[in-house]
Amino acid sequence: MTAIADESEARAYVASLCDGIAMDRLAKLSDLLIAENASQNLVARATIPIVWQRHIADSAQLLELVTATQAPWLDLGSGAGFPGLVIAAMRPNLEVILVESRKRRVDWLERAREGLALENCRVAGCRLEEVERFDAGTISARAFAPLDRLLALAGRFSTKTTDWVLPKGRSAAQEVHGLPKNRRKMFHVEQSRTDPDAGVVVGRGQWSAKP
């Protein structure tokens, strides 16, 4: 798989996965993010010139890694809104729930959600442990927690048909290998389209605290 090399390729890739209305929403999200980043460090400043490649396309690729866009889509530690806001913008008929406990990030997510008119999206402004349990169709997380910790916290939302899509950077394979041997087969690693050295942990099924 050839990695997306620049902003032009990133925009073209994302456009292949959604319609023009969604692309307009994502362009507005980019503008909102750049403006907000001047007052709080949502993303590394060095990534602002490549926001489509580093953040938007990086999020959008998850749609190709699930068996179907199953609702509700639960995004853990949404922070700057990746991948959750991108998924919600690209799939307006898909229920997306963003979990974020940091107040300034919660406020940002709410403003962005309202600014993009994402009626399919809601923000749970609390710790994941405080979110009332429900059956998640898809679970995503970007820079939320080490894989074993993430699974321990999010497993109660999973069912036999839940899709997991977890961008893990260069540590993806190592984190999967660190799971109990008899359970790691539930997951595999896909190469990221936006970084040749990064991986996305992909899985399907229910993760429980007990083997």
Side-chain angles (χ1 to χ4, degrees), residues 36-37 40-43 77-81 85 98-112 123 125:
E36 183 68 19
N37 214 59
Q40 66 166 309
N41 191 33
L42 292 173
V43 298
S78 297
L85 282 178
L98 313 180
V99 179
E100 176 56 55
S101 61
R102 293 166 291 182
K103 187 179 185 307
R104 290 193 73 191
R105 301 294 173 92
V106 172
D107 292 345
W108 148 251
L109 291 171
E110 288 285 12
R111 290 196 304 274
V123 181

Side-chain angles (χ1 to χ4, degrees), residues 21-58:
I21 296 174
M23 287 296 288
D24 289 342
R25 289 193 197 97
L26 293 172
K28 185 172 184 179
L29 172 59
S30 174
D31 291 342
L32 292 172
L33 175 75
I34 291 169
E36 183 68 19
N37 214 59
S39 61
Q40 66 166 309
N41 191 33
L42 292 173
V43 298
R45 292 184 181 180
T47 67
I48 290 297
I50 52 171
V51 67
W52 279 84
Q53 179 183 354
R54 182 64 185 88
H55 301 296
I56 298 177
D58 189 65

Side-chain angles (χ1 to χ4, degrees), residues 115-134:
L116 301 174
L118 296 177
E119 296 182 2
N120 60 317
C121 179
R122 70 177 176 88
V123 181
C126 59
R127 295 173 60 84
L128 182 60
E129 296 91 325
E130 300 168 354
V131 177
E132 185 175 349
R133 193 215 165 270
F134 60 86

